[in-house]
Amino acid sequence: MADLEFKITRNSNPLPAAERQQILDAPVFGANLTDHQVVCVWEKDKGWVSAEVLPYGPIMMDPSAAVLHYGQEIFEGIKAYRHQDGSIWTFRPEANAKRLQLSAHRMALPEVPVELFVESLKQLIAVDGAWVPEPVNEKTLYIRPFEIAAENFLGVRAAHRAEYRVIASPVGPYFTGGLKPVSIWIALDSSRAGKHGTGEAKTGGNYAASLLAQNEGYENGCSQVMFLDAESSTYIEELGGMNLFFVYKDGHVATPSLDGTILRGITRDSVCTLIRDRGINLEERKITLDEVRAGINSGEIVEVFACGTAAVITPIGQFKSREETIGAADSDAGELTASLRAELTGIQYGTVADRHNWLVKLAD
Ligand SMILES: *Cc1c(COP(=O)(O)O)cnc(C)c1O
C-alpha cells in the first residue's frame, strides 16, 4: 500500500464553468456529479493493486458481477466544506475510514486503509475542487466513497475482486423547509436490523430494506421512517439514515445506545461530545416507544431531533403510525436542537473554534 501511487487521468471534457456554476447556484441532492471519480482495485492474494483518478463515467460491468446478485456493497457519506478564505476542509475523515472498515469486515469485503481513504478524498478534491460550493445556504460537496464486489462469478462466496470508488455531488440543505420540524413514520411492519445482522454496517441492503416503509411514510405525509428493534418492536433504534436524540424538560438528553443494530453515526458521536462539552447529562441507553409517547404527551420530552451527515441536525415535530399520532406537526425547532446545529455547522464551516480537531484540510 505504501507504494500505491495515484495515477491521474484528467477529464478532457469537463462541464463548462458556466454550467457548473448553474448547478452550484441551486444544487439538488445527488442529482449532479463532478467531473472525476476515484477508482481503486483490490485483488485477493495481491491486495490493493491500483489507485486512479479517472473521468467520471459509467462502470463497465459484467452481468455476472457479484455485487449485482449478492449485494456485497458498502458506502460512506462525508462532506467537503469551503471556508471563507477559499480553503476546502472535511470533517473527521478517519472516523469514516474506520467505519468503512467495520462495514467491510461485516460484509466480507477488503478493508480500505485509513490513509488510502483520506488520500482518495484529497485526490478527488485536487481535480474537482471547483465543485465545492461557496459557504452560503449550507451548501457543500457531498462525497460518496463506496466499495463493491467486482468479480464476475455467480458462485456464492466473498468476491476475489473488489473496487473502491469515490464520487461527489454538490448539495444544498437536505430538507428544503429550513429548520421546520419533520414528521416521522413509525415502521410497525418492517425492521432494518436484527441481532447479529448488518445494522451496524453501512450497506445498501439496509437501505433497500427500508424503502417499503419509506413509501408508506411518504403516503402518510412523513419524510423519514423510524425503526424499532426487530426482536420486540419495543425499543427505538433510528431512522433509515439518521440517529435520534430526545431532550427532556429537566435538561438531560437521551439517545439509543449502540447495541449492534444501530449505525454508528459520526454526527451522533460528534453531537454526544458537544452535549457533554456543555455539561449536559447525556444518557446512552435503551429507549422505548412507550417512554417517548408518554414523554411527548406529558411534556416531559421537549425536543426531538435526528442527525446525520446529509441533513446535519433536523428537528422532529411528530411521530405517526397507522395506529397513532404523537406530537404536533406545526411545532417549532427546539432551542437545544437549533443551538447544537449552529455549533456543529459553525465548526464545519470554520466559523466556530474546532476544539476537538475534527477538521482536516483537503485543499488550500
Ligand atoms: C449514515 C447513517 C447514519 C448517519 O451517520 P453519519 O456518520 O452521522 O452520517 C445513521 N443511520 C444510518 C442507518 C446510516 O446509514
Side-chain angles (χ1 to χ4, degrees):
M1 164 43 208
D3 48 14
L4 196 62
E5 286 276 325
F6 268 83
K7 186 176 154 221
I8 292 144
T9 309
R10 287 241 173 200
N11 190 337
S12 57
N13 191 22
L15 198 70
E19 286 175 47
R20 183 181 65 229
Q21 193 51 49
Q22 261 182 4
I23 292 168
L24 296 185
D25 286 343
V28 177
F29 189 94
N32 297 283
L33 287 301
T34 64
D35 293 313
H36 297 85
Q37 60 181 324
V38 166
V39 183
C40 301
V41 174
W42 175 92
E43 289 171 16
K44 189 172 154 58
D45 300 328
K46 290 190 188 148
W48 292 99
V49 294
S50 65
E52 288 190 77
V53 173
L54 293 170
Y56 187 87
I59 299 178
M60 282 290 285
M61 192 174 266
D62 195 277
S64 70
V67 64
L68 300 177
H69 302 273
Y70 308 123
Q72 245 189 315
E73 187 270 355
I74 56 175
F75 66 94
E76 274 302 324
I78 185 167
K79 285 173 168 174
Y81 308 85
R82 190 179 293 283
H83 286 188
Q84 279 305 338
D85 67 359
S87 58
I88 300 169
W89 301 72
T90 193
F91 185 75
R92 305 186 68 184
E94 292 91 358
N96 289 84
K98 285 181 187 142
R99 186 172 64 192
L100 188 68
Q101 291 185 336
L102 181 149
S103 300
H105 176 75
R106 180 63 185 86
M107 304 307 287
L109 281 163
E111 291 180 7
V112 174
V114 173
E115 319 82 73
L116 176 58
F117 180 92
V118 176
E119 182 62 20
S120 71
L121 307 182
K122 289 183 178 162
Q123 292 284 345
L124 190 66
I125 293 302
V127 290
D128 280 339
W131 284 87
V132 182
E134 291 301 312
V136 290
N137 249 328
E138 291 189 12
K139 289 186 204 177
T140 59
L141 183 68
Y142 181 83
I143 304 176
R144 167 56 58 85
F146 64 105
E147 230 183 302
I148 53 173
E151 184 185 2
N152 304 327
F153 178 57
L154 289 182
V156 180
R157 58 154 169 71
H160 291 175
R161 184 175 186 281
E163 289 180 6
Y164 164 66
R165 289 181 182 246
V166 187
I167 57 174
S169 165
V171 298
Y174 194 75
F175 297 113
T176 41
L179 253 201
K180 202 180 154 322
V182 297
S183 298
I184 300 296
W185 184 249
I186 307 170
L188 296 180
D189 308 309
S190 63
S191 305
R192 71 170 282 286
K195 189 180 174 187
H196 298 157
T198 58
E200 264 199 342
K202 208 167 173 73
T203 180
N206 289 343
Y207 279 72
S210 76
L211 299 180
L212 178 63
Q214 187 177 300
N215 277 346
E216 210 176 74
Y218 288 161
E219 284 160 19
N220 289 277
C222 295
S223 54
Q224 296 271 313
V225 174
M226 179 172 80
F227 291 94
L228 304 173
D229 77 288
E231 232 161 289
S232 67
S233 298
T234 303
Y235 302 103
I236 285 174
E237 296 208 316
E238 60 171 320
L239 307 187
M242 282 195 263
N243 297 113
L244 285 165
F245 284 82
F246 301 89
V247 183
Y248 289 72
K249 194 172 62 186
D250 70 3
H252 86 278
V253 179
T255 188
S257 41
L258 301 170
D259 295 330
T261 51
I262 295 176
L263 205 284
R264 294 171 168 269
I266 292 155
T267 318
R268 175 193 182 280
D269 186 74
S270 308
V271 166
C272 285
T273 298
L274 295 182
I275 289 173
R276 291 192 168 115
D277 282 355
R278 294 178 183 211
I280 294 169
N281 174 26
L282 174 72
E283 297 174 352
E284 295 185 62
R285 60 171 170 85
K286 286 190 179 299
I287 299 169
T288 63
L289 177 58
D290 286 346
E291 174 185 343
V292 167
R293 178 189 302 108
I296 291 176
N297 287 339
S298 70
E300 205 60 37
I301 293 177
V302 290
E303 300 180 32
V304 185
F305 66 86
C307 69
T309 297
V312 198
I313 290 176
T314 301
I316 292 172
Q318 66 175 1
F319 294 101
K320 281 162 78 172
S321 74
R322 56 177 149 73
E323 292 173 356
E324 62 180 334
T325 297
I326 309 167
D330 59 356
S331 55
D332 289 321
E335 219 172 284
L336 184 65
T337 304
S339 112
L340 285 169
R341 190 177 208 283
E343 184 178 9
L344 183 59
T345 53
I347 293 169
Q348 291 166 335
Y349 284 101
T351 59
V352 168
D354 175 25
R355 54 183 188 278
H356 295 287
N357 292 315
W358 282 336
L359 295 184
V360 170
K361 199 183 230 185
L362 294 177
D364 285 315

